[in-house]
């Protein structure tokens, strides 16, 4: 992180939330160092805005970031947040330790699709099973972007990546279904093309007591968009797609490729293939939360009932 | 009641260590059942909630060490206990914790051999793994108790080392020592509380990570930062970082600091013990269980007029070079009984004496040394 | 085109807000063009300091902007944003200073 990013003359009136971001606060002017059109810039921006508008107390909402392109969000998130860069895939386990040692905290975990469903799958499953009070944000750009565009557990069938040069032939894993099966009590998926729904879900997750899993479909233009055609989700139509080489085309493709939960009920298997189903999948606010249950155990251990 | 009432108790080794940890102020334990060290998590699962702490059995060793790191970041004294295969899984996180200078205590109840091995047999084979636990260069502190009483006392010392030097601290016990039932004398509450270094926010908040004070050349190790308070750097980045946690352009200075902060305080860290060493010509250097057999062997040999003494290493890493060099310089021969075959510490002794005094190994795998084995070697050497 | 005056993409007198674009920081990713529900933006012809084409408002479509701020949320580089001239309680006033 030696260079903080391209610096251009500061123009007035500046976007108010730039100065709230960490690097903006440090340098007075900042633009994210991510590729043009990357979804993480959008998410970092929205997170900073939410952190500022909700007036969250930085001491109670530590950030645990996994390893990936989104690790650069250390610079774009709110300047007052306390951030830990955990190991690849181990963010949910680190957050469990933090939460249990200081039960007032509610860790916010940034993980990627490879980070959470690939190497960190076991920790993700058990954090959801325990219904620990934390927010797990899974950024699904269906590629290992930081290391150069390798295939990920969530790469779409038939997509090209550096480790699947011919065609991705494996079945893809679904973060939401995994979270539902593991027992997370608030599961939702949205895309970066719907920024306001992500803000709505995030505000709901902040108030929800228990594990809330929000999966976000983000475009990765440089490694996924440029190498794949935009008929990925619509094979059954037999269209001849074109390369999605700009973020606009990818956001357009994401919008076309994401189906609302209720709408998906009326679509058959062939139409739903390679599609993202967005919406809220489960909201069970009154499930027992892990740290409360452990407080009861502590009471029993001290002789109470 | 965090402290057991003062008195003598018959305790298993693993339980004595858990009680030592509780006395030292433990309030988070993340662990996973693995044969020689399950008693630790079983005992703490009952005891920790009583003192308001948290004992979590995680889904695997990786999660338990990460939970320990997370808890230690937030200001809890944290510990984990595992065995050979567990430490192998945990090495990546140990090296991250060493980089972020997160204090934690790690008990390795060693068991036999590579792979699964005989799970209930002692075999000091993880010593190298503890020294190089994880990628990257960093220093660790390893303490080797030899009895249940020392398992209790050295755990308190381990927590104090962890708090002051903010590096991974290992307690090296093994399958036999962990399951040994012995009398342990528990000191009074006041005495223990005096010994323990508490985890609190210092008044003079000078810095968050260790650094070298250019004027004095000494290494300043501030108190560990606590997340969720003001005494916390802006980010915990496990990359070469400056005082404030921001990345530095010169990683070498950071690596030098990581190593020098321990080696420059070696006189305070390296604990050793001697036994009839003043006029000894033959010196036994040992640690852990073999020390008990060598006490008996030395007594028998002394009766027959052979001048033998023991230098007992309590701190294995960092290896006390000066103390060993000073005791061995006029010795005729050095005998190193060890519970492994290659003689990991014997190699260190050879390095220190640069091979002018002969070093004789008494290797034993999976069984404890019998005093007569050591006595036989002493007699041969004495001729 | 002076460096220190942000080009005002559009001005809505009655609702008293205006859409700003920090031209030089724009990376030319077209996210705002596709995120805008009323589709009033299109990619412009000039290059900025990052050698990228910056968005502009289509001819005569300025009045359809409803200040839904989807483009503001969807911009990764904080370039395009709506500022209300009317009294705005949180951050916007501070930025004006």
């Amino acid at each position: 992180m030696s260079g903080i990013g391209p610096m251009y003359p500061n123009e007035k009136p500046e976007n108010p939330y730039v100065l709230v971001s960490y690097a903006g606060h440090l340098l007075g002017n900042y633009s994210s160092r991510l590729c043009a059109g990357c979804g993480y810039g959008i998410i970092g921006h929205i997170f900073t805005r939410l952190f500022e508008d909700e007036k969250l107390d930085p001491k109670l909402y530590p950030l645990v970031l996994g390893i990936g392109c989104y690790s650069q969000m250390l610079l774009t998130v709110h300047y007052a947040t306390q951030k830990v860069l955990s190991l690849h895939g181990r963010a949910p386990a680190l957050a469990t330790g933090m939460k249990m040692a200081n039960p007032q905290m509610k860790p916010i975990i940034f993980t990627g699709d490879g980070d959470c469903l690939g190497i960190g799958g076991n920790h993700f499953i058990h954090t959801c099973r325990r219904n620990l009070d934390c927010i797990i944000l899974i950024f699904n750009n269906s590629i290992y972007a930081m290391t150069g565009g390798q295939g990920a557990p969530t790469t779409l069938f038939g997509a090209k990546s550096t480790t699947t040069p011919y065609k991705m032939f494996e079945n893809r894993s679904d973060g939401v279904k995994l979270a539902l099966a593991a027992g997370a009590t608030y599961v939702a998926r949205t895309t970066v093309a719907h920024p306001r729904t992500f803000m709505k879900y995030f505000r709901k997750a902040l108030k929800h007591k228990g594990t809330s899993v929000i999966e976000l479909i983000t475009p990765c233009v440089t490694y996924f968009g440029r190498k794949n055609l935009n008929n990925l989700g619509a094979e059954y139509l037999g269209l001849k797609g074109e390369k999605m080489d700009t973020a606009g085309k990818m956001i357009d493709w994401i919008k076309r490729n994401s189906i609302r939960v209720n709408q998906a009920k009326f679509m058959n298997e062939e139409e739903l293939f390679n599609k993202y189903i967005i919406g809220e999948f489960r909201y069970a606010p009154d499930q027992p939360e892990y740290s409360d249950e452990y407080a009861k155990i502590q009471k029993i251990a001290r002789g109470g009932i | 009641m965090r402290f057991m009432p003062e008195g003598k108790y018959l305790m298993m080794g693993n339980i004595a260590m858990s009680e030592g940890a509780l006395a030292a102020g433990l309030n988070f334990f993340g662990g996973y059942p693995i044969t020689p060290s399950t008693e630790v998590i079983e005992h703490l699962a009952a005891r920790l909630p009583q003192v308001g702490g948290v004992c979590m059995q995680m889904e695997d060793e990786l999660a338990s060490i990460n939970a320990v790191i997370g808890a230690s970041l937030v200001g809890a004294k944290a510990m984990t206990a595992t065995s050979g295969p567990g430490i192998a899984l945990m090495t990546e996180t140990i090296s991250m914790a060493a980089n972020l200078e997160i204090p934690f205590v790690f008990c390795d109840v060693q068991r036999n051999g590579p792979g699964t091995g005989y799970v209930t047999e002692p075999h000091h084979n993880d010593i190298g793994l503890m020294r190089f636990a994880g990628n990257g260069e960093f220093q660790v502190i390893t303490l080797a108790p030899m009895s249940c009483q020392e398992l209790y006392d050295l755990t308190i010392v381990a927590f104090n080392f962890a708090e002051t030097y903010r590096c991974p601290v290992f307690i090296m016990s093994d399958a036999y020592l962990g399951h040994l039932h012995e009398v342990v004398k528990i000191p009074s509450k006041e005495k223990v509380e005096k010994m323990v270094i508490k985890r609190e926010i210092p008044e003079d908040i000078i810095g968050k990570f260790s650094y070298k004070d250019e004027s004095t050349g000494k290494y300043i190790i501030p108190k560990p930062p606590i997340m969720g308070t003001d005494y916390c750097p802006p980010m915990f980045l496990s990359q070469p970082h400056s005082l404030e946690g921001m990345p530095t352009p010169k990683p070498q200075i950071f690596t030098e600091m990581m190593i020098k902060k321990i080696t420059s305080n070696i006189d305070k860290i390296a604990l050793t013990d001697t036994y009839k060493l003043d006029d000894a010509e033959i010196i036994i250097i040992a640690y852990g269980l073999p020390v008990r057999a060598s006490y008996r062997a030395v007594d028998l040999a002394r009766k027959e007029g052979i001048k033998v003494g023991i230098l007992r290493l309590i701190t294995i890493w960092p290896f006390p070079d000066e103390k060993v060099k000073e005791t061995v310089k006029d010795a005729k021969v050095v005998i190193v009984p060890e519970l492994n075959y290659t003689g990991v510490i014997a190699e260190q002794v050879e390095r220190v004496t640069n091979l002018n005094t002969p070093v004789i190994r008494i290797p034993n795998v999976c069984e404890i040394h019998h005093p007569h084995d050591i006595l036989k070697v002493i007699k041969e050497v004495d001729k | 085109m002076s460096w220190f005056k942000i080009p005002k993409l559009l001005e809505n007198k009655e609702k008293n807000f205006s859409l700003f674009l920090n031209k030089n920081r724009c990376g030319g990713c077209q996210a705002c063009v596709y995120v805008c529900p009323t589709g009033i933006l299109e990619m412009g012809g000039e290059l900025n300091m990052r050698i990228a084409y910056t968005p502009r408002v289509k001819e005569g479509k300025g009045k359809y902007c409803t200040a839904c701020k989807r483009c503001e949320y969807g911009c990764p580089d904080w370039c395009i944003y709506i500022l209300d001239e009317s009294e705005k309680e949180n951050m916007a006033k501070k930025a004006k200073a």
Side-chain angles (χ1 to χ4, degrees), chain B residues 36 72 145 156 166 208 213 219 222 244-245 255 274 326 328 371:
Chain B
S72 190
I156 298 175
R166 287 173 64 180
K208 318 273 186 327
D213 185 353
Y219 282 87
E244 275 301 318
T255 311
T274 58
E326 189 256 338
V328 171

Side-chain angles (χ1 to χ4, degrees), chain A residues 6 8-21 29-32 34 36-38 41-42 44-46 48-49 52-53 76 192-193 195-196 199 246-249 251-252 255, chain C residues 3-6 20-25 27-32 34-37 49-50 67-81 83 90-92 94-97:
Chain A
Y8 298 99
N10 203 348
E11 288 138 355
K12 291 274 176 297
E14 179 54 286
N15 181 331
Y17 290 94
V18 168
L19 305 173
V20 171
S21 73
N29 178 5
Y30 175 67
S31 84
S32 67
L34 300 150
C38 173
I42 299 168
H45 171 187
I46 292 174
T48 319
R49 174 183 294 272
E52 179 61 30
D53 294 353
T76 47
V192 161
R196 289 160 66 124
M199 291 169 87
T246 63
K249 288 187 185 127
I251 285 186
D252 211 21
K255 269 188 171 172
Chain C
W3 291 118
F4 300 108
K5 188 171 174 323
I6 287 217
F20 286 97
L21 171 76
N22 190 332
K23 236 165 103 58
N24 288 313
R25 216 174 30 219
C29 66
Q30 299 179 10
C32 48
Y34 286 88
V35 164
C36 176
M49 280 177 79
R50 283 179 79 171
C68 69
K69 290 201 178 177
R70 279 196 173 81
C71 57
E72 180 175 342
Y73 301 143
C75 170
D77 294 322
W78 290 297
C79 299
I80 192 166
Y81 43 94
L83 288 184
N90 59 12
M91 291 304 297
K94 232 187 291 174
K96 268 210 178 342

Side-chain angles (χ1 to χ4, degrees), chain A residues 6 63 176 200-201 207 210 232 261:
Chain A
L63 299 190
V176 164
K200 187 175 65 129
Y201 290 161
K207 296 180 184 48
L232 253 182
V261 177

